[in-house]
Amino acid sequence: MSREATAVLKECYLELRNQNANCVGGIAITVRQLESMVRLAEARARLDLRQVVTEADALDVVAIMKESLYSTVIDEYGSIKVKGKKKGKHAEARRFLTTLAKLAKSQGRKVFSVAEMYALADDIQLQVDDMQNFVEEL
């Protein structure tokens, strides 16, 4: 494997680990994902009848890995999708505020109406008992 390919895979792995550490309800990014990326890069090189994994092979694998993970666990706002078991009030508040901050940054806004916050909560399937009380406590 070339040094460039190694650097690309390492950077992707560390980025995924860091993103997961900062998210509530994220999936575990372990050494197994890194090992999978290495195997995929090697397979990509073999597909072109090469013995050395190139940077282009690694970039192809990174694109596949990110698309796979993101389409599975990231919603259109860039937040972790949460399904199943109900999350705690503080975890849901953190998830909502993180999503709201990302939306504000992407739209260049600082103010949202209550109706917009309710719609966002519906979009991300926020799990709170009383939405009105939740918004007031923010």
Side-chain angles (χ1 to χ4, degrees):
M1 182 174 297
S2 70
R3 288 180 191 230
E4 295 84 4
T6 301
V8 167
L9 295 179
K10 177 182 174 183
E11 182 179 327
C12 175
Y13 172 72
L14 293 175
E15 178 185 330
L16 292 171
R17 291 278 304 193
N18 289 335
Q19 285 177 354
N20 184 60
N22 295 327
C23 294
V24 176
I27 62 169
I29 302 297
T30 66
V31 175
R32 291 182 68 114
Q33 276 78 23
L34 178 59
E35 292 168 346
S36 294
M37 289 191 293
V38 169
R39 285 191 304 274
L40 284 168
E42 290 170 345
R44 176 68 183 88
R46 283 193 306 271
L47 187 67
D48 286 342
L49 304 175
R50 284 183 279 103
Q51 292 184 356
V52 176
V53 176
T54 65
E55 182 179 17
D57 297 325
L59 290 170
D60 286 347
V61 168
V62 166
I64 291 168
M65 182 66 91
K66 285 186 176 182
E67 181 60 31
S68 172
L69 289 172
Y70 290 165
S71 67
T72 302
V73 299
I74 305 294
D75 63 19
E76 66 269 25
Y77 301 105
S79 293
I80 300 292
K81 294 178 187 175
V82 177
K83 293 186 179 177
K85 188 174 135 180
K86 189 168 183 171
K87 303 294 177 197
K89 182 178 177 181
H90 294 292
E92 285 297 271
R94 199 168 31 247
R95 185 168 71 92
F96 178 76
L97 291 173
T98 299
T99 304
L100 189 63
K102 289 177 183 175
L103 186 61
K105 185 176 180 180
S106 72
Q107 294 181 358
R109 297 174 56 188
K110 293 184 180 182
V111 178
F112 291 88
S113 70
V114 172
E116 289 172 318
M117 288 192 283
Y118 276 47
L120 177 62
D122 285 341
D123 287 348
I124 66 170
Q125 299 175 346
L126 194 68
Q127 298 177 10
V128 295
D129 294 328
D130 181 2
M131 184 61 191
Q132 182 176 356
N133 186 42
F134 177 79
V135 170
E136 288 174 3
E137 288 181 2
L138 291 175

